[in-house]
Amino acid sequence: MSFAIFFANRNGTDMNRRLSSVSVVIIVRGSQFALALIHPFLQALHAEFVDLETVIVAHGLSADASVQLKAVAELIPDCTVLFLTEEIHDDVARLLGIDHAISDYVLFATPRQAEIDALPSMIAAVRQGHDLVIGEGSGGVVTERGVISSTLFDAFRGVHRLLAGVPYEAQKPAFRIFSRAAAIYVAGRRDGEVLVRARSLGQGFPCTSVTVPEGEPVKVASMPVRIAVAKALRLILTGSATPLRLTSYLGFGGGIVAVLYGSYAILVYFLKRNVEPGWTTLSLLLSLMMFVFSAQFLFLSEYLVQILSTVPSSSRRQLVAREFRGPLSSQAGRLNVVDNEGEFMLGAAGFKDNAGSGR
């Protein structure tokens, strides 16, 4: 059998077989949330995946909304709800969802009917070997921003691209699926908040996009100003070493100016008459102090650049206040259990081999 026929048969078998497991990450922010389509969405996923779990990351909820969300989670099999200590940016919440996902694929969803209709195209792209499949369309999740907020957001994107050299995508990563390798890569990088919404993850992670059918967009409120500004400054300062490099250049320039001023003071001492007593000494002292301070800025900034390049990304798990696990499970029949006679069952109950109980 030739290699072409072998791979054709292999791909045909894989295309007809369900994928292993997927973790659906849903972000809930504020007191209003709509999970009415969660059950149809999960049913559509069950047709494509053997195992399925749901991770709901909730932040900025009121007490009543938290109670309602817990009631909803108790009706969803294999559901985990992460209640966060404070309201954060949705991209950080999605990274937390990746941290708590245990499946071979991670799917960001809202969910809504247009996403249910686009699932076959998404899964087909995954079966072809893509590590990141992005669902994009005219609808989707739309952030309500004012004119000033939109202008500041565009300005931040321009500054970030100028300093970091990579674009910060405007589209929210509300509907996309990662392979396990791609999800771990994104969550472990210092610029994970940028990569989580990127259109490409670089070589080794094939990416593609599919069109989501037009539907009624889901409008979400923009992030509070303090959260948006804090994230913008964090990405600008930690996403690139350029600000620290500028500090190094300022220190280097200050050192040159100090040397020039010291040389000027010496020339004045030798070439000009009637120099006030002590002026030369004071000038040389000032130039020496400027040179020392400039050298300190230069070496400290370079030292910080090297430190930041080796320090791993900070842990996000301290943001989780409580992890709530729903009581329902769709895998109970396949767990390794001990029956009422004390016999250990490997796999689903009732499937013993002819050799005995499998102890």
PDB file of all heavy atoms in Angstrom, residues 252-268 279 283-284 286-288 290-291:
ATOM      1  N   PHE A 252      22.452  56.716  29.241  1.00  0.00           N
ATOM      2  CA  PHE A 252      23.651  56.852  28.420  1.00  0.00           C
ATOM      3  C   PHE A 252      23.821  58.294  27.942  1.00  0.00           C
ATOM      4  O   PHE A 252      24.936  58.858  27.965  1.00  0.00           O
ATOM      5  CB  PHE A 252      23.563  55.898  27.228  1.00  0.00           C
ATOM      6  CG  PHE A 252      24.766  55.918  26.339  1.00  0.00           C
ATOM      7  CD1 PHE A 252      25.961  55.328  26.749  1.00  0.00           C
ATOM      8  CD2 PHE A 252      24.713  56.526  25.098  1.00  0.00           C
ATOM      9  CE1 PHE A 252      27.082  55.358  25.928  1.00  0.00           C
ATOM     10  CE2 PHE A 252      25.825  56.551  24.269  1.00  0.00           C
ATOM     11  CZ  PHE A 252      27.014  55.961  24.682  1.00  0.00           C
ATOM     12  N   GLY A 253      22.701  58.920  27.516  1.00  0.00           N
ATOM     13  CA  GLY A 253      22.772  60.309  27.081  1.00  0.00           C
ATOM     14  C   GLY A 253      23.146  61.248  28.212  1.00  0.00           C
ATOM     15  O   GLY A 253      23.918  62.199  28.020  1.00  0.00           O
ATOM     16  N   GLY A 254      22.598  60.979  29.420  1.00  0.00           N
ATOM     17  CA  GLY A 254      22.966  61.803  30.573  1.00  0.00           C
ATOM     18  C   GLY A 254      24.439  61.682  30.904  1.00  0.00           C
ATOM     19  O   GLY A 254      25.084  62.673  31.299  1.00  0.00           O
ATOM     20  N   GLY A 255      25.019  60.500  30.760  1.00  0.00           N
ATOM     21  CA  GLY A 255      26.444  60.326  30.994  1.00  0.00           C
ATOM     22  C   GLY A 255      27.281  61.125  30.015  1.00  0.00           C
ATOM     23  O   GLY A 255      28.303  61.742  30.388  1.00  0.00           O
ATOM     24  N   ILE A 256      26.862  61.139  28.732  1.00  0.00           N
ATOM     25  CA  ILE A 256      27.603  61.916  27.739  1.00  0.00           C
ATOM     26  C   ILE A 256      27.533  63.405  28.057  1.00  0.00           C
ATOM     27  O   ILE A 256      28.547  64.135  27.967  1.00  0.00           O
ATOM     28  CB  ILE A 256      27.037  61.621  26.338  1.00  0.00           C
ATOM     29  CG1 ILE A 256      27.311  60.157  25.949  1.00  0.00           C
ATOM     30  CG2 ILE A 256      27.653  62.572  25.309  1.00  0.00           C
ATOM     31  CD1 ILE A 256      26.742  59.770  24.609  1.00  0.00           C
ATOM     32  N   VAL A 257      26.345  63.880  28.442  1.00  0.00           N
ATOM     33  CA  VAL A 257      26.202  65.296  28.796  1.00  0.00           C
ATOM     34  C   VAL A 257      27.071  65.643  30.000  1.00  0.00           C
ATOM     35  O   VAL A 257      27.696  66.719  30.055  1.00  0.00           O
ATOM     36  CB  VAL A 257      24.722  65.619  29.074  1.00  0.00           C
ATOM     37  CG1 VAL A 257      24.570  67.025  29.646  1.00  0.00           C
ATOM     38  CG2 VAL A 257      23.903  65.482  27.802  1.00  0.00           C
ATOM     39  N   ALA A 258      27.150  64.750  30.991  1.00  0.00           N
ATOM     40  CA  ALA A 258      27.983  64.999  32.169  1.00  0.00           C
ATOM     41  C   ALA A 258      29.458  65.114  31.785  1.00  0.00           C
ATOM     42  O   ALA A 258      30.187  65.986  32.288  1.00  0.00           O
ATOM     43  CB  ALA A 258      27.778  63.878  33.185  1.00  0.00           C
ATOM     44  N   VAL A 259      29.920  64.238  30.888  1.00  0.00           N
ATOM     45  CA  VAL A 259      31.320  64.305  30.446  1.00  0.00           C
ATOM     46  C   VAL A 259      31.583  65.598  29.683  1.00  0.00           C
ATOM     47  O   VAL A 259      32.625  66.268  29.878  1.00  0.00           O
ATOM     48  CB  VAL A 259      31.661  63.077  29.587  1.00  0.00           C
ATOM     49  CG1 VAL A 259      33.056  63.221  28.969  1.00  0.00           C
ATOM     50  CG2 VAL A 259      31.599  61.807  30.418  1.00  0.00           C
ATOM     51  N   LEU A 260      30.644  65.989  28.822  1.00  0.00           N
ATOM     52  CA  LEU A 260      30.823  67.233  28.068  1.00  0.00           C
ATOM     53  C   LEU A 260      30.850  68.449  28.984  1.00  0.00           C
ATOM     54  O   LEU A 260      31.656  69.375  28.799  1.00  0.00           O
ATOM     55  CB  LEU A 260      29.694  67.366  27.035  1.00  0.00           C
ATOM     56  CG  LEU A 260      29.712  66.345  25.893  1.00  0.00           C
ATOM     57  CD1 LEU A 260      28.505  66.556  24.991  1.00  0.00           C
ATOM     58  CD2 LEU A 260      30.997  66.454  25.081  1.00  0.00           C
ATOM     59  N   TYR A 261      29.975  68.436  30.006  1.00  0.00           N
ATOM     60  CA  TYR A 261      29.950  69.565  30.926  1.00  0.00           C
ATOM     61  C   TYR A 261      31.229  69.623  31.763  1.00  0.00           C
ATOM     62  O   TYR A 261      31.765  70.705  32.043  1.00  0.00           O
ATOM     63  CB  TYR A 261      28.732  69.466  31.833  1.00  0.00           C
ATOM     64  CG  TYR A 261      28.585  70.650  32.767  1.00  0.00           C
ATOM     65  CD1 TYR A 261      28.180  71.877  32.287  1.00  0.00           C
ATOM     66  CD2 TYR A 261      28.877  70.521  34.121  1.00  0.00           C
ATOM     67  CE1 TYR A 261      28.046  72.986  33.129  1.00  0.00           C
ATOM     68  CE2 TYR A 261      28.747  71.613  34.984  1.00  0.00           C
ATOM     69  CZ  TYR A 261      28.332  72.832  34.483  1.00  0.00           C
ATOM     70  OH  TYR A 261      28.222  73.915  35.326  1.00  0.00           O
ATOM     71  N   GLY A 262      31.757  68.465  32.176  1.00  0.00           N
ATOM     72  CA  GLY A 262      33.030  68.453  32.897  1.00  0.00           C
ATOM     73  C   GLY A 262      34.168  68.977  32.044  1.00  0.00           C
ATOM     74  O   GLY A 262      35.039  69.728  32.532  1.00  0.00           O
ATOM     75  N   SER A 263      34.169  68.590  30.758  1.00  0.00           N
ATOM     76  CA  SER A 263      35.212  69.092  29.850  1.00  0.00           C
ATOM     77  C   SER A 263      35.082  70.597  29.666  1.00  0.00           C
ATOM     78  O   SER A 263      36.086  71.337  29.611  1.00  0.00           O
ATOM     79  CB  SER A 263      35.106  68.384  28.492  1.00  0.00           C
ATOM     80  OG  SER A 263      35.235  66.980  28.653  1.00  0.00           O
ATOM     81  N   TYR A 264      33.837  71.071  29.586  1.00  0.00           N
ATOM     82  CA  TYR A 264      33.609  72.520  29.452  1.00  0.00           C
ATOM     83  C   TYR A 264      34.125  73.266  30.676  1.00  0.00           C
ATOM     84  O   TYR A 264      34.760  74.330  30.560  1.00  0.00           O
ATOM     85  CB  TYR A 264      32.123  72.772  29.247  1.00  0.00           C
ATOM     86  CG  TYR A 264      31.722  74.222  29.381  1.00  0.00           C
ATOM     87  CD1 TYR A 264      31.983  75.145  28.377  1.00  0.00           C
ATOM     88  CD2 TYR A 264      31.077  74.666  30.542  1.00  0.00           C
ATOM     89  CE1 TYR A 264      31.611  76.471  28.517  1.00  0.00           C
ATOM     90  CE2 TYR A 264      30.707  75.989  30.682  1.00  0.00           C
ATOM     91  CZ  TYR A 264      30.977  76.898  29.676  1.00  0.00           C
ATOM     92  OH  TYR A 264      30.626  78.224  29.822  1.00  0.00           O
ATOM     93  N   ALA A 265      33.900  72.740  31.878  1.00  0.00           N
ATOM     94  CA  ALA A 265      34.375  73.398  33.095  1.00  0.00           C
ATOM     95  C   ALA A 265      35.903  73.468  33.130  1.00  0.00           C
ATOM     96  O   ALA A 265      36.488  74.474  33.555  1.00  0.00           O
ATOM     97  CB  ALA A 265      33.841  72.655  34.324  1.00  0.00           C
ATOM     98  N   ILE A 266      36.575  72.404  32.685  1.00  0.00           N
ATOM     99  CA  ILE A 266      38.050  72.405  32.668  1.00  0.00           C
ATOM    100  C   ILE A 266      38.580  73.418  31.664  1.00  0.00           C
ATOM    101  O   ILE A 266      39.549  74.162  31.943  1.00  0.00           O
ATOM    102  CB  ILE A 266      38.565  70.991  32.360  1.00  0.00           C
ATOM    103  CG1 ILE A 266      38.192  70.024  33.497  1.00  0.00           C
ATOM    104  CG2 ILE A 266      40.079  71.003  32.149  1.00  0.00           C
ATOM    105  CD1 ILE A 266      38.549  68.588  33.214  1.00  0.00           C
ATOM    106  N   LEU A 267      37.938  73.488  30.473  1.00  0.00           N
ATOM    107  CA  LEU A 267      38.379  74.466  29.473  1.00  0.00           C
ATOM    108  C   LEU A 267      38.186  75.890  29.969  1.00  0.00           C
ATOM    109  O   LEU A 267      39.032  76.771  29.743  1.00  0.00           O
ATOM    110  CB  LEU A 267      37.613  74.243  28.167  1.00  0.00           C
ATOM    111  CG  LEU A 267      37.952  72.967  27.396  1.00  0.00           C
ATOM    112  CD1 LEU A 267      37.047  72.825  26.181  1.00  0.00           C
ATOM    113  CD2 LEU A 267      39.417  72.979  26.973  1.00  0.00           C
ATOM    114  N   VAL A 268      37.074  76.137  30.641  1.00  0.00           N
ATOM    115  CA  VAL A 268      36.841  77.478  31.182  1.00  0.00           C
ATOM    116  C   VAL A 268      37.908  77.829  32.215  1.00  0.00           C
ATOM    117  O   VAL A 268      38.408  78.970  32.281  1.00  0.00           O
ATOM    118  CB  VAL A 268      35.424  77.570  31.788  1.00  0.00           C
ATOM    119  CG1 VAL A 268      35.269  78.860  32.608  1.00  0.00           C
ATOM    120  CG2 VAL A 268      34.381  77.510  30.691  1.00  0.00           C
ATOM    121  N   TRP A 279      33.971  77.765  41.440  1.00  0.00           N
ATOM    122  CA  TRP A 279      33.039  77.427  40.353  1.00  0.00           C
ATOM    123  C   TRP A 279      33.474  76.164  39.640  1.00  0.00           C
ATOM    124  O   TRP A 279      32.645  75.299  39.327  1.00  0.00           O
ATOM    125  CB  TRP A 279      32.962  78.593  39.365  1.00  0.00           C
ATOM    126  CG  TRP A 279      32.006  78.307  38.235  1.00  0.00           C
ATOM    127  CD1 TRP A 279      30.667  78.529  38.211  1.00  0.00           C
ATOM    128  CD2 TRP A 279      32.347  77.747  36.962  1.00  0.00           C
ATOM    129  NE1 TRP A 279      30.136  78.128  37.010  1.00  0.00           N
ATOM    130  CE2 TRP A 279      31.146  77.631  36.220  1.00  0.00           C
ATOM    131  CE3 TRP A 279      33.542  77.317  36.381  1.00  0.00           C
ATOM    132  CZ2 TRP A 279      31.121  77.120  34.919  1.00  0.00           C
ATOM    133  CZ3 TRP A 279      33.505  76.798  35.098  1.00  0.00           C
ATOM    134  CH2 TRP A 279      32.307  76.703  34.370  1.00  0.00           C
ATOM    135  N   SER A 283      31.385  72.728  39.541  1.00  0.00           N
ATOM    136  CA  SER A 283      30.947  72.212  38.230  1.00  0.00           C
ATOM    137  C   SER A 283      31.426  70.783  38.017  1.00  0.00           C
ATOM    138  O   SER A 283      30.681  69.926  37.528  1.00  0.00           O
ATOM    139  CB  SER A 283      31.478  73.131  37.121  1.00  0.00           C
ATOM    140  OG  SER A 283      30.962  74.431  37.248  1.00  0.00           O
ATOM    141  N   LEU A 284      32.687  70.511  38.342  1.00  0.00           N
ATOM    142  CA  LEU A 284      33.192  69.149  38.187  1.00  0.00           C
ATOM    143  C   LEU A 284      32.464  68.168  39.110  1.00  0.00           C
ATOM    144  O   LEU A 284      32.204  67.019  38.743  1.00  0.00           O
ATOM    145  CB  LEU A 284      34.696  69.127  38.469  1.00  0.00           C
ATOM    146  CG  LEU A 284      35.582  69.830  37.435  1.00  0.00           C
ATOM    147  CD1 LEU A 284      37.044  69.789  37.897  1.00  0.00           C
ATOM    148  CD2 LEU A 284      35.427  69.161  36.076  1.00  0.00           C
ATOM    149  N   LEU A 286      29.325  68.457  40.148  1.00  0.00           N
ATOM    150  CA  LEU A 286      27.997  68.227  39.567  1.00  0.00           C
ATOM    151  C   LEU A 286      28.085  67.283  38.367  1.00  0.00           C
ATOM    152  O   LEU A 286      27.233  66.395  38.196  1.00  0.00           O
ATOM    153  CB  LEU A 286      27.374  69.564  39.147  1.00  0.00           C
ATOM    154  CG  LEU A 286      26.944  70.497  40.288  1.00  0.00           C
ATOM    155  CD1 LEU A 286      26.432  71.810  39.731  1.00  0.00           C
ATOM    156  CD2 LEU A 286      25.870  69.836  41.136  1.00  0.00           C
ATOM    157  N   SER A 287      29.060  67.480  37.515  1.00  0.00           N
ATOM    158  CA  SER A 287      29.188  66.603  36.348  1.00  0.00           C
ATOM    159  C   SER A 287      29.512  65.172  36.766  1.00  0.00           C
ATOM    160  O   SER A 287      29.011  64.207  36.165  1.00  0.00           O
ATOM    161  CB  SER A 287      30.269  67.136  35.405  1.00  0.00           C
ATOM    162  OG  SER A 287      31.542  67.131  36.044  1.00  0.00           O
ATOM    163  N   LEU A 288      30.328  65.019  37.813  1.00  0.00           N
ATOM    164  CA  LEU A 288      30.638  63.678  38.303  1.00  0.00           C
ATOM    165  C   LEU A 288      29.393  63.002  38.864  1.00  0.00           C
ATOM    166  O   LEU A 288      29.154  61.815  38.616  1.00  0.00           O
ATOM    167  CB  LEU A 288      31.724  63.750  39.359  1.00  0.00           C
ATOM    168  CG  LEU A 288      32.133  62.413  40.003  1.00  0.00           C
ATOM    169  CD1 LEU A 288      32.682  61.474  38.937  1.00  0.00           C
ATOM    170  CD2 LEU A 288      33.153  62.649  41.113  1.00  0.00           C
ATOM    171  N   MET A 290      26.249  63.644  38.028  1.00  0.00           N
ATOM    172  CA  MET A 290      25.390  63.324  36.884  1.00  0.00           C
ATOM    173  C   MET A 290      25.873  62.064  36.185  1.00  0.00           C
ATOM    174  O   MET A 290      25.073  61.209  35.782  1.00  0.00           O
ATOM    175  CB  MET A 290      25.354  64.499  35.904  1.00  0.00           C
ATOM    176  CG  MET A 290      24.597  65.724  36.405  1.00  0.00           C
ATOM    177  SD  MET A 290      24.681  67.087  35.217  1.00  0.00           S
ATOM    178  CE  MET A 290      23.995  66.302  33.756  1.00  0.00           C
ATOM    179  N   PHE A 291      27.186  61.933  36.041  1.00  0.00           N
ATOM    180  CA  PHE A 291      27.730  60.753  35.377  1.00  0.00           C
ATOM    181  C   PHE A 291      27.448  59.488  36.192  1.00  0.00           C
ATOM    182  O   PHE A 291      27.086  58.443  35.639  1.00  0.00           O
ATOM    183  CB  PHE A 291      29.235  60.922  35.164  1.00  0.00           C
ATOM    184  CG  PHE A 291      29.869  59.768  34.445  1.00  0.00           C
ATOM    185  CD1 PHE A 291      29.800  59.670  33.074  1.00  0.00           C
ATOM    186  CD2 PHE A 291      30.536  58.767  35.160  1.00  0.00           C
ATOM    187  CE1 PHE A 291      30.380  58.590  32.408  1.00  0.00           C
ATOM    188  CE2 PHE A 291      31.118  57.696  34.505  1.00  0.00           C
ATOM    189  CZ  PHE A 291      31.029  57.602  33.121  1.00  0.00           C
TER     190      PHE A 291
END
